Amino acid sequence: MRLTVLGGGGFRVPLVYGALLRDTAKPRVEEVVLYDVSADRLAAIQHVLQQLAAGHDDPPRVLTTTDLDTALRDATFVFSAIRVGGLAGRTADERVALELGLLGQETTGPGGIAYGLRTIPVAVQVAERVAAVAPQAWVINFTNPAGMITEAMRSVLGDRVVGICDSPIGLIRRAAAALGLDPARVSPDYVGLNHLGWLRGLSHQGRDVLPDLLADDVALRQVEEARIFGGDWVRTLGALPNEYLYYYYFTRESVAAVSGPTRGESLLGQQDRFYAAVRERPEHALAEWGRARSERDASYMADTREITDAGERDAADLEAGGYEGIALALMAAIARGEPSTMILNVRNGSAVPGLPAEAVVEIPCAVDGSGIRPLATRPLPGRFLGLVQQVKAVEQTAIEAAMSGSSRLAVEAFALHPLVDSVGTARKLLDGYRARIPELATVFHA
């Protein structure tokens, strides 16, 4: 099989390749094609992968290219992990919002809308090239904001594109471990949108054990999300929220916590140092990547953990792996016919009552050689459904704005978001993003 990685010069690509090196079942990925707009970044990551493969028998071949059609041709699977505007764009996403007193975050709130607005036209163009060059390929979308981007790409690829995220499986692992259970032997009742969902139940041997966890203070403290939100609040909700819901439930605290560099600014510095170091000493590429990765992992949501006294990230969480494991499990289920149940970003249909059929939702799905089948969920209570409906309306408005170039719709998307407090502020957001992000200045004319 051939796997194509779009954004192949990205920092997290070695995680995917490392997972492929550990995968010995047949059929396996024999060739990996890395595509990126930056030849320098491709070269750096190729050095890392070569050193990762050292000592392995018959590792997957690695090819690199800056030509999209060449990368896509003959692909069985395509991982889309692009970042339009790079980390400089992310820093603008965060800073424009913060300067207006709003949350500045990559995927949540106005920053997520801005990221989506400039990414959607490119993602749809990619989908069109996949349809033309590799129509039988499955596209697994990592690109954030994952739900919005997957929904936009579906307009071209339909069910051949699916979005993934590692936040839900991480939450489920932590909840199961706190109860002393094997995460592989529990069935989650998880529902929502990407970066906006709740674990409402956890079935083990036919019984929901989540109430046991919520009632046990000691066990609950083992779950990072419970430490972040507080035991009293998760018991009030009767569910464990996805970590990104902190930005909705504790908005003022989230904004106040940013006292120094934003997450984007920190990562920009880290990655600039990494790529520069590899250019100077390519023989040490893997060691440089390992150091940068440790720094990156330790700083994930660090502001939130600090103000909530949640402590450091658990070493077991870091070692368990993330999105690369989900992606490979999804590939195995489809290519090898290994049945699995996974939480994925897929078309709703009738799975989540109260949301449009075409909306992309994040829910459990049955996956096997015949494809992906969303599983029906229990209706969301009003305290969850209202927020999901509003954010989904924002996502769909942003998609329409990005595809039409309508400034009016872009302002509407910002203004409808629950973390934006006025229409006037929404207009200022669009003006600020247009001034700082070339891709948005091109799409949305004054």
Side-chain angles (χ1 to χ4, degrees):
M1 294 192 296
R2 170 181 276 195
L3 168 64
T4 295
V5 181
L6 308 181
F11 183 79
R12 295 196 291 180
V13 169
L15 296 174
V16 174
Y17 191 69
L20 291 174
L21 290 172
R22 297 187 294 271
D23 183 27
T24 58
K26 301 288 185 178
R28 63 190 288 261
V29 171
E30 298 168 333
E31 188 169 80
V32 178
V33 182
L34 306 182
Y35 163 81
D36 206 288
V37 296
S38 169
D40 286 344
R41 288 167 66 91
L42 281 174
I45 294 302
Q46 189 169 27
H47 285 302
V48 177
L49 302 194
Q50 287 170 346
Q51 291 165 31
L52 268 177
H56 286 267
D57 294 330
D58 192 27
R61 295 184 300 277
V62 177
L63 306 175
T64 64
T65 181
T66 56
D67 182 77
L68 180 59
D69 281 9
T70 299
L72 293 173
R73 195 165 287 112
D74 299 323
T76 309
F77 290 93
V78 177
F79 289 178
S80 181
I82 62 176
R83 184 178 285 279
V84 178
L87 282 172
R90 175 175 178 171
T91 65
D93 294 340
E94 296 165 341
R95 279 295 167 195
V96 169
L98 286 167
E99 288 168 5
L100 291 170
L102 304 176
L103 176 74
Q105 209 280 327
E106 178 190 22
T107 64
T108 303
I113 296 171
Y115 189 11
L117 288 175
R118 70 173 180 274
T119 304
I120 286 164
V122 177
V124 171
Q125 290 170 5
V126 167
E128 290 169 347
R129 296 318 303 156
V130 172
V133 177
Q136 299 306 309
W138 283 89
V139 177
I140 301 176
N141 178 53
F142 302 87
T143 301
N144 278 321
M148 193 189 302
I149 302 305
T150 302
E151 187 163 333
M153 294 181 80
R154 277 192 53 84
S155 65
V156 177
L157 297 173
D159 291 340
R160 302 295 289 192
V161 59
V162 58
I164 67 171
C165 181
D166 57 0
S167 290
I169 188 60
L171 171 57
I172 293 159
R173 284 175 185 156
R174 289 184 282 274
L179 290 167
L181 301 175
D182 180 352
R185 296 184 176 276
V186 297
S187 297
D189 175 6
Y190 184 93
V191 63
L193 309 178
N194 180 240
H195 289 183
L196 200 162
W198 297 263
L199 180 64
R200 303 182 300 170
L202 195 66
S203 179
H204 180 255
Q205 296 182 345
R207 187 175 74 87
D208 184 5
V209 295
L210 186 63
D212 298 344
L213 177 58
L214 295 178
D216 187 333
D217 287 339
V218 174
L220 205 55
R221 284 290 299 174
Q222 297 177 44
V223 181
E224 182 170 311
E225 287 80 358
R227 298 197 300 271
I228 289 173
F229 290 96
D232 287 345
W233 184 240
V234 298
R235 279 190 279 264
T236 297
L237 294 174
L240 285 171
N242 183 294
E243 58 199 344
Y244 284 85
L245 273 159
Y246 184 85
Y247 300 122
Y248 293 91
Y249 292 140
F250 295 91
T251 308
R252 292 191 180 196
E253 293 85 347
S254 299
V255 175
V258 183
S259 57
T262 66
R263 170 76 169 163
E265 289 163 347
S266 297
L267 290 179
L268 180 60
Q270 289 173 23
Q271 294 197 16
D272 281 350
R273 291 190 294 273
F274 161 72
Y275 287 105
V278 175
R279 281 195 300 272
E280 293 173 9
R281 299 191 305 167
E283 69 275 14
H284 297 295
L286 181 57
E288 293 290 349
W289 180 81
R291 279 192 287 271
R293 180 195 173 192
S294 296
E295 186 179 353
R296 178 192 178 105
D297 286 346
S299 64
Y300 177 70
M301 297 191 82
D303 288 339
T304 299
R305 294 199 310 277
E306 182 176 348
I307 63 175
T308 59
D309 195 28
E312 297 297 320
R313 295 190 71 193
D314 191 285
D317 281 348
L318 297 176
E319 293 166 3
Y323 78 109
E324 70 281 0
I326 301 168
L328 263 65
L330 177 57
M331 287 172 55
I334 293 172
R336 300 174 191 152
E338 300 174 4
S340 181
T341 300
M342 311 177 67
I343 295 173
L344 301 170
N345 285 266
V346 295
R347 180 181 184 273
N348 177 41
S350 59
V352 182
L355 289 178
E358 73 277 7
V360 165
V361 293
E362 191 169 80
I363 56 173
C365 300
V367 188
D368 58 24
S370 65
I372 300 167
R373 187 177 76 258
L375 301 177
T377 65
R378 291 186 293 120
L380 282 164
R383 64 186 183 278
F384 298 162
L385 180 60
L387 180 57
V388 169
Q389 289 175 324
Q390 188 171 1
V391 173
K392 177 49 66 177
V394 168
E395 290 183 353
Q396 294 187 326
T397 303
I399 292 170
E400 188 178 356
M403 295 308 298
S404 66
S406 168
S407 295
R408 179 185 63 80
L409 287 172
V411 169
E412 182 182 347
F414 284 120
L416 288 176
H417 200 284
L419 298 181
V420 177
D421 54 9
S422 79
V423 175
T425 301
R427 295 188 177 116
K428 291 177 183 178
L429 282 165
L430 182 58
D431 289 342
Y433 286 127
R434 260 193 310 227
R436 296 197 197 184
I437 300 174
E439 293 84 2
L440 288 185
T442 300
V443 174
F444 299 102
H445 302 291

